Structures are given as C-alpha cells and as structure tokens.
Amino acid sequence: MSKQLEIKNLSVNVEGTQIIRNLSLTVPRGEVHALMGPNGTGKSTLAKVLAGHPDYEVTSGEVFLDGESILDMQVDERARAGLFMAFQYPSEIPGVSIANFLRAARQARLEEGEEIDAVSFYKTLYEKMDLLQIDRKFTSRAVNEGFSGGEKKRNEILQMAMLEPSYAIMDETDSGLDIDALRIVSEGVNRLRGPNLGVLLITHYQRILDYIVPDHVHVMWNGTIVKSGGKELARELEEKGYDWIKEAFAEPAGKA
Amino acid sequence: MSTTNTPELDIKTDIGDFVYPEKHKYDAGIGLSEDTINYMCEVKDEPDWIREFRMKALQTFRAKPLPTNWASKDLEAIDFDKIRYYLAGDQKPSRSWDEVPDDVKATFERLGIPENERKFLAGVEAQFDSEAAYSNIKEIAAKQGVIFVGSTEGLKEHPEIFRKWFGKVIPTGDNKFSALNSAVFSGGSFIYVPPGVKVSHPLQAYFRINAQNFGQFERTLIIADEGSEVTYMEGCTAPKFDTATLHSAVVELVALKGAKIQYITVQNWSDNVFNLVTKRGLAEEDAEIRWIDCNIGSRLTMKYPGVILKGRRARGEVLSIALANDGQHQDTGAKMIHAADETSSNIISKSISVGQGRATYRGLVNMPKHLKGCKNNTECDALLINTNSRTDTYPAITTRGDHNSVQHEASVSKVSADQIFYMQQRGMTEGQAMSLAVNGFINDLAQHFPMEYSVELKRLIDLEMEGSVG
C-alpha cells in the first residue's frame, strides 16, 4: 500500500459552477508540498473538499488516503483515518476549553467503551506544548474564543500535534500573521515534520516558504495545477508574480 | 400552538427506559375525589388537620381553571380522572442499604448512580413510587441534630416544626397544581437543620416513577434555622410510557436569619411526563437561597423556582439549564420577590432547543418603590440546535423607585454548520460535536454544580444529543 495522499483527476462543483477541474496531485508521507496560486483559483476549495465539506459536489475523480478511497467517507471518518486540516478561519467553540476539546477529539479515536486516560493525556499535551513553546495556561482557554490571529493558528498547530495525522492540509496558515507569529507557527510545523507526515501547504505568498521549506511546489490556476517544480519555483513566482502564470495559462488548455 | 399529542419520537433515553414489576400494597384507584383523600389519610394514618388541609385543597383545585390563558394549551391533554393519585410500596422507609429490596437496588443501578457515590447513599432519601423506599440520615448529620425524613414521617414525628412552616411559603391556592399537590401529596422530604449547623455532605434524594399512569406529588419542606447551611440534591429519571404521566411537586424552603440553602435538581423525564412544579423559598435577614435546576426531557415542564427576599440583605439565586428535545416544551424561569432593603438576586438561565423542541423563559422580578439598595441581575441565553427549534423569553421586571438596580441580558445563539464541520474535522461524530458545543454553552453554569452532578448532566446531554442527529 502506497503511503501517500493521492488526488486523481478531481473535478468539483459549487452550486453548479465548476471550481476544480481535473486536478491531480500526490503528496507522499514525509514530504511537504506547497500549493500556490492567486486568490480565487480554488486552493481553499480543494482543502475543504479533501476534508469532506458538505457544500461541495465532487463530479469526477478520486482521492486516496494510503490507498483507501475517502470520497464516500464522512468528515469525521476522514479525520480519524489520518487527515487533518489546519483551518484558515478556525471556528470558536464557546465554553469548551482547548484541553477538553482535544480530549474529546482523542476520545473519538478510541474504541467504544474505551476511556481516555487523563494522566497520560495531560502528559502528552504538555509535551507537545513544550515542543511548540506554548504556555500551559493556553489549555484552559475556550477554543479560539477571543484569540488573536496568531493564537488561532498556534492552536491549529497544537491540535495537529495532538492528533498526529498522517496528512495535514494547511489552508493559508500564514494569512493574517505578522512576521513574529509566522515564525513561531512555522517553527511549530517544522518540529512536526518527519517521515510519517505528509503536508500540503496552501499559500498565496512565498513568505512562509522561507520558514517551511517545501520539497515540491505546485502552482494552481483556474481550478487546476498548471506547473510543478522544486522549491526554486516559489522564488520564481515571488519575482515574476502571478501575472506571469495568468498570461501563460490565460485560456487553459485543460478546459476540454 | 399545537394541542395534539406529540408523536412518539425516536429519542435515545437509555437511562430510565426500563420497568420492574410493581408490587403495590396500597392503591387508591383511579381518579380524584373526597374518597381518594379519605383512603390516603387512613392508609397513611395521618392526623385530622392534614385531612382537613387536603379536603380544602381539593376544593381549591376544583375551583381553579387551568392556566391556559398564559401557559401551554397542552395542559388540556391531562385527564385528571385517569390518574392514580396514591400508591405506596410494601416497604416502610428503610434505614440501611442492606434492607433495600433488590429490585429497588436494581433500579438505582440502572439509573447509573456511580459506585463511588454509594458512600453518599448512606445519607440518601430516595423515593421509589410515592413512599420513600429508602431513607437514612447520615450519621454525622444525625449527630448534628439534623432531621432528614420523608414528609409523612416529618408531619407525624415533628409536628411542632412541620406545621409552623408547611404551606406557608407556597399557599395551597398559589396555583392549580400547588392545590392539587396539597390535596394528594405523598413522599418528598422533610429537613430541619438546627441553628448554626453546617451540614457537611449534601443530602440527596433520588426519585423515580415506576408505575404507569401514576402521578407523583412529592412535598418537600426544608427549614434551615438561624446561621445553618444545607445543600439538598434531587435527581429524577423516569421510564418511558405510552400514556401521559403527571408529576406535580411542591417544594418549600425556609432560610432563617443568616442561613444558607442550596437546592439542586437534575431531572431527566421521559417525553410523556407533565412536570408541573412549584418551588419557592423564603429568605430572612442575611439568608441565602440558591436554586440550581436542570430540566431535561418531559413533554411539558413548567417550573419557576422563586425566592421571597423577606429580610434585609437576603440573597436569592436561580441557576437553571433546560434542554428541550423534539416534542418537548421546557417552560421554565425564575421569580424574585424583593421585600426588604438591600436584597439582591441573580438569575442565570440557559436553554437548549433541539429539533422541534421549545424552550420558554419566564422571569419575574419585583422591587417595590419603598425599597432601597436592591439589586437584580438576569441573564438568559438560548441555544438553538436546528433551524426549526424555538425559544421565547418573557421577562417581567417590575422596578419602582430609583434606589434599586436591575440588569437584564438575553442572547440567542446557534451551533453553526461551520462549528460542526470544524469539530468533525477533528474526528468527532456529528453527535459528539453537538454534545461538546452544548456542554460548552452550559459550562460556566455547570461549574457551580457538585462534581457528580455535572458528570451526570454531561452524560444526559450526550445521550440527548446522540439521538438528535441523523
């Protein structure tokens, strides 16, 4: 069984309009793939479709997680199968502390009747927080309630660390972060990198790739991937801007 | 508003969904008349003054109309002629756990009273049908001179205290259902805490209905003498039945000078129960009464715990949580009657409406003009789970004069699709996600609860929410 997240010829509609067109992309475990592109090109849609958001209609194509097709799975089943999404706009869950939230999320991964061990849970939680250099007081705050942009994103990374996914889709994790917050969040992600984790890092800007150096870079335009390359591709985009892509692929040949 | 019977819905109420064979020695038959009362008084060997009290109450009950001018017309579905008003098990109130019959124990076990709570059971007054099946005064409490018995035993053994306060906080004619209770009450607790005694452990009572078509009419009277403190906990679950079941309790609290009473209820009724309860406390100078009230289930609950702030600097508080699932209506609230200077009251009400469940908040705060330095704070928050869920708020705040202050805040919120998606992405099922959101909504209130009750409450909410999503 191939240990990879494999997207094959995926097409997606939202309210009758095609947003993703025949997109194919493979992210093996142990690699970080950056997905770049101008706004409104379908990057965030791809993230939500992979996570199983009910508003999107997959019209054709397949998605495999370690060889297993996931498109018929519910949102929570995909999550438990090892897929994690770091949200661009994480929801607030009033009254639910981060500790209780994570506990519920980990509890959901246990067999029925099995109870989470509180002592080892907190031990793990504190280890991960130390690793990500997060203050322990953080855990008693309600999930994302009144959080700054940076705190919300750090909370996403903490959840990622605690849920130990096989694949993480990071949707514009850099948006709304100042340079210090960006550095802290990126360091967190780098600490979680390793042979058992594949990352699809969705971003509009090259900036975050200075901190999280990708193995591969893909450029998305008009609902599909138009160019792939190594980390130098990101630099090229930074210099030339997206207009270059827009011009080159103004009338995408892949429309047929 | 619909007056038709609500359809039987597929709601998981595993807890309470079981029946054990009934062996009732005393059964007053079906329907209510003078004969019913005479029968009860004879069986219970009650004094004449109680018989007279009951007979008068019966007249009041008959004379009063149903309050359908403001309350749910669903009340008209109660057929008073088809209810059993008195039923008692064979057993006298038991004194130790060993003496409790096995089937009663089995019921408690199914109610999920945790093993580690058994130690508290030594001090439990638990009601099985209309007589206390098991009652025991915790040794420490008894040593402190605390009386903790069933209401029948209370009126017989301690008439000098009982009679002084019985029916004084809630007069028979307060409302139709307090009159009904006054006519046919049986069961419930009588507690007297002597001056200065601080009862260290909460006194607990577990209730349960185990007879079809049988109304429960508990009568509880708690008197905390000067400077004393007591916490009383009441929890109810009921098996699911096909026909309507009426529960109409009256609870009176008296906190004398400087005393503190905390009364905690967690109720989980099956969705055919009418739960029409009158609860009120009287707080003398510097006294404090706090009602903590959680209502889950039932077809219709009407309950507005109140405090009459009679003495200077008296404090009253109602913290309530109501969860209305499909086919259920939680009509709850609070009453604060300020009757002395510098009295203060606090009401925090949270309601959750699931599916076509309906939650109504009714509040009454009264501060007459001649008073000074009175304060009230009212917060009511409603959470709607589905688009067809419903919530209504009817706050009635009467403040006269400018030497008092009142604050009122209300909010209505929803669990959004985005929140559910977020939680599901973390691996929780839709039901688990809902549950977590609901528990978060009530979290700041639940923190005031004793540990074992907040655990129980969380479990009840989990069960309700699991059944609420596809």
Side-chain angles (χ1 to χ4, degrees):
Chain A
M1 192 176 68
S2 48
K3 296 277 189 191
Q4 58 189 25
L5 170 65
E6 189 182 9
I7 304 162
K8 271 174 99 169
N9 306 109
L10 190 72
S11 292
V12 176
N13 280 8
V14 181
E15 290 168 355
T17 308
Q18 194 174 46
I19 303 290
I20 291 176
R21 304 159 202 270
N22 200 32
L23 183 146
S24 296
L25 175 66
T26 299
V27 181
R29 286 203 204 182
E31 292 184 7
V32 173
H33 288 231
L35 182 65
M36 303 184 71
N39 287 327
T41 197
K43 302 190 300 294
S44 286
T45 297
L46 178 66
K48 286 180 185 160
V49 168
L50 294 175
H53 196 287
D55 288 354
Y56 301 89
E57 184 201 350
V58 174
T59 51
S60 64
E62 294 213 68
V63 179
F64 298 98
L65 201 72
D66 294 340
E68 194 184 354
S69 174
I70 61 166
L71 287 181
D72 288 334
M73 290 162 83
Q74 294 294 315
V75 180
D76 51 306
E77 291 173 306
R78 297 181 193 196
R80 293 194 299 271
L83 189 75
F84 180 89
M85 174 174 157
F87 283 60
Q88 184 178 4
Y89 304 109
S91 289
E92 295 183 4
I93 315 293
V96 178
S97 70
I98 288 177
N100 281 339
F101 185 79
L102 284 168
R103 203 171 155 160
R106 281 175 70 116
Q107 177 72 50
R109 285 163 169 76
L110 300 180
E111 295 291 321
E112 184 133 5
E114 215 180 317
E115 276 291 323
I116 211 160
D117 177 59
V119 176
S120 72
F121 168 76
Y122 276 100
K123 190 169 171 278
T124 312
L125 179 59
Y126 291 147
E127 278 169 14
K128 304 284 186 187
M129 292 180 83
D130 291 347
L131 178 74
L132 302 172
Q133 294 173 299
I134 295 173
D135 194 315
R136 288 185 187 184
K137 275 184 242 160
F138 200 63
T139 55
S140 58
R141 292 178 64 185
V143 176
N144 295 322
E145 210 179 20
F147 281 24
S148 69
E151 285 172 331
K152 282 185 182 173
K153 298 298 164 72
R154 285 174 85 178
N155 186 21
E156 294 295 288
I157 306 302
L158 175 61
Q159 292 178 47
M160 184 171 142
M162 282 299 283
L163 300 178
E164 296 172 338
S166 315
Y167 301 95
I169 298 147
M170 312 195 66
D171 187 12
E172 310 234 0
T173 296
D174 51 339
S175 71
L177 295 188
D178 61 35
I179 200 75
D180 291 329
L182 180 68
R183 188 178 45 77
I184 292 167
V185 167
S186 301
E187 279 172 11
V189 175
N190 285 332
R191 289 200 172 91
L192 301 178
R193 281 178 86 158
N196 295 317
L197 178 67
V199 176
L200 181 61
L201 184 67
I202 295 171
T203 181
H204 181 76
Y205 300 105
Q206 190 269 340
R207 196 177 60 156
I208 192 171
L209 304 181
D210 288 342
Y211 298 95
I212 306 171
V213 179
D215 300 296
H216 296 272
V217 175
H218 309 273
V219 182
M220 192 167 173
W221 163 244
N222 208 11
T224 197
I225 288 169
V226 291
K227 200 169 172 58
S228 295
K231 61 188 174 203
E232 67 288 345
L233 179 57
R235 290 259 175 235
E236 198 180 339
L237 278 171
E238 179 78 355
E239 282 159 26
K240 296 185 181 174
Y242 287 116
D243 286 346
W244 159 66
I245 293 289
K246 285 179 189 174
E247 277 162 33
F249 299 94
E251 287 297 325
K255 212 169 187 178
Chain B
M1 200 177 353
S2 169
T3 56
T4 53
N5 286 5
T6 49
E8 198 62 40
L9 289 147
D10 185 27
I11 294 164
K12 273 191 193 172
T13 42
D14 304 27
I15 291 182
D17 212 76
F18 45 89
V19 179
Y20 290 91
E22 296 147 18
K23 290 168 277 175
H24 302 298
K25 195 167 165 191
Y26 302 115
D27 180 350
I30 294 167
L32 178 58
S33 69
E34 280 79 0
D35 291 345
T36 323
I37 290 177
N38 281 324
Y39 179 86
M40 279 180 75
C41 290
E42 272 150 44
V43 167
K44 290 162 76 77
D45 192 24
E46 290 179 341
D48 285 344
W49 73 271
I50 284 288
R51 189 188 302 248
E52 284 159 32
F53 179 90
R54 290 181 185 278
M55 288 296 183
K56 259 171 111 175
L58 178 62
Q59 298 311 318
T60 311
F61 168 70
R62 283 173 175 159
K64 279 198 173 277
L66 285 169
T68 43
N69 57 327
W70 58 270
S72 170
K73 293 209 168 23
D74 198 23
L75 288 172
E76 287 164 0
I78 302 170
D79 190 342
F80 292 101
D81 295 330
K82 288 198 176 152
I83 289 170
R84 280 175 204 278
Y85 288 88
Y86 179 67
L87 194 71
D90 302 16
Q91 62 283 74
K92 288 267 170 203
S94 313
R95 281 289 163 194
S96 80
W97 184 244
D98 289 342
E99 291 167 43
V100 175
D102 285 345
D103 58 342
V104 177
K105 281 183 185 167
T107 299
F108 285 129
E109 232 157 77
R110 285 300 311 268
L111 288 176
I113 300 166
E115 208 67 45
N116 61 10
E117 260 178 57
R118 297 286 162 88
K119 62 175 186 283
F120 285 111
L121 282 169
V124 159
E125 166 84 351
Q127 174 151 344
F128 193 75
D129 288 347
S130 51
E131 283 299 337
Y134 174 75
S135 87
N136 193 350
I137 299 170
K138 193 152 180 75
E139 257 177 62
I140 306 160
K143 273 180 198 157
Q144 289 178 310
V146 175
I147 299 166
F148 178 24
V149 292
S151 63
T152 307
E153 197 179 333
L155 72 90
K156 284 187 204 164
E157 307 292 327
H158 309 279
E160 69 294 344
I161 319 170
F162 189 92
R163 225 177 145 167
K164 187 175 173 190
W165 294 106
F166 178 72
K168 298 298 194 299
V169 185
I170 301 172
T172 296
D174 185 81
N175 62 74
K176 188 172 179 74
F177 297 100
S178 62
L180 177 63
N181 176 283
S182 299
V184 296
F185 73 89
S186 61
S189 301
F190 171 69
I191 293 170
Y192 171 76
V193 186
V197 171
K198 293 178 171 56
V199 184
S200 48
H201 288 293
L203 303 176
Q204 299 194 357
Y206 282 91
F207 291 73
R208 183 172 154 74
I209 297 175
N210 199 37
Q212 194 160 359
N213 247 349
F214 168 60
Q216 265 198 316
F217 304 95
E218 311 96 359
R219 185 86 191 201
T220 289
L221 173 59
I222 300 175
I223 299 144
D225 214 324
E226 292 188 6
S228 68
E229 287 178 23
V230 64
T231 293
Y232 183 78
M233 306 208 284
E234 164 198 42
C236 305
T237 64
K240 203 168 185 170
F241 291 129
D242 296 325
T243 49
T245 303
L246 176 63
H247 176 97
S248 190
V250 167
V251 178
E252 297 176 287
L253 309 182
V254 180
L256 297 178
K257 192 175 170 181
K260 283 185 187 174
I261 302 177
Q262 178 162 256
Y263 192 105
I264 304 169
T265 307
V266 175
Q267 293 188 317
N268 174 30
W269 298 107
S270 60
D271 55 9
N272 56 347
V273 168
F274 285 90
N275 182 34
L276 312 167
V277 176
T278 312
K279 288 180 163 176
R280 198 171 302 152
L282 180 76
E284 300 271 16
E285 196 174 305
D286 292 311
E288 186 178 304
I289 289 178
R290 179 193 244 189
W291 297 98
I292 294 181
D293 211 79
C294 299
N295 300 289
I296 295 173
S298 83
R299 172 168 169 175
L300 173 66
T301 287
M302 289 173 66
K303 193 201 281 183
Y304 322 97
V307 183
I308 301 163
L309 301 150
K310 191 177 167 232
R312 202 165 166 171
R313 292 181 299 273
R315 294 178 302 280
E317 188 163 39
V318 173
L319 307 177
S320 71
I321 293 170
L323 192 151
N325 217 320
D326 268 320
Q328 303 173 353
H329 184 179
Q330 299 284 359
D331 194 326
T332 59
K335 292 182 182 178
M336 291 294 175
I337 313 296
H338 291 256
D341 288 343
E342 297 168 65
T343 47
S344 59
S345 59
N346 185 33
I347 300 168
I348 303 177
S349 157
K350 300 219 180 208
S351 70
I352 301 126
S353 309
V354 185
Q356 294 186 44
R358 184 177 168 196
T360 304
Y361 171 82
R362 288 178 212 273
L364 186 151
V365 177
N366 190 12
M367 284 181 194
K369 190 175 180 175
H370 65 275
L371 297 183
K372 286 193 286 284
C374 297
K375 282 182 206 155
N376 166 261
N377 176 54
T378 300
E379 289 169 39
C380 26
D381 300 319
L383 183 70
L384 304 177
I385 300 294
N386 306 85
T387 46
N388 53 352
S389 309
R390 180 173 167 183
T391 183
D392 317 273
T393 301
Y394 304 97
I397 299 177
T398 313
T399 330
R400 297 201 173 83
D402 22 332
H403 305 291
N404 301 311
S405 89
V406 170
Q407 276 187 59
H408 180 249
E409 280 176 48
S411 77
V412 177
S413 51
K414 280 190 172 192
V415 180
S416 69
D418 282 347
Q419 287 172 318
I420 295 298
F421 177 63
Y422 186 66
M423 289 186 270
Q424 280 192 276
Q425 210 301 306
R426 298 311 184 233
M428 297 170 222
T429 62
E430 194 180 354
Q432 288 165 341
M434 281 288 186
S435 230
L436 192 65
V438 170
N439 275 301
F441 172 71
I442 62 161
N443 182 44
D444 53 340
L445 264 193
Q447 282 175 351
H448 293 284
F449 291 28
M451 185 62 135
E452 63 266 38
Y453 264 53
S454 52
V455 169
E456 187 174 336
L457 182 64
K458 187 184 173 302
R459 203 180 49 205
L460 289 176
I461 286 171
D462 288 348
L463 281 171
E464 288 294 316
M465 300 320 294
E466 267 172 35
S468 74
V469 291

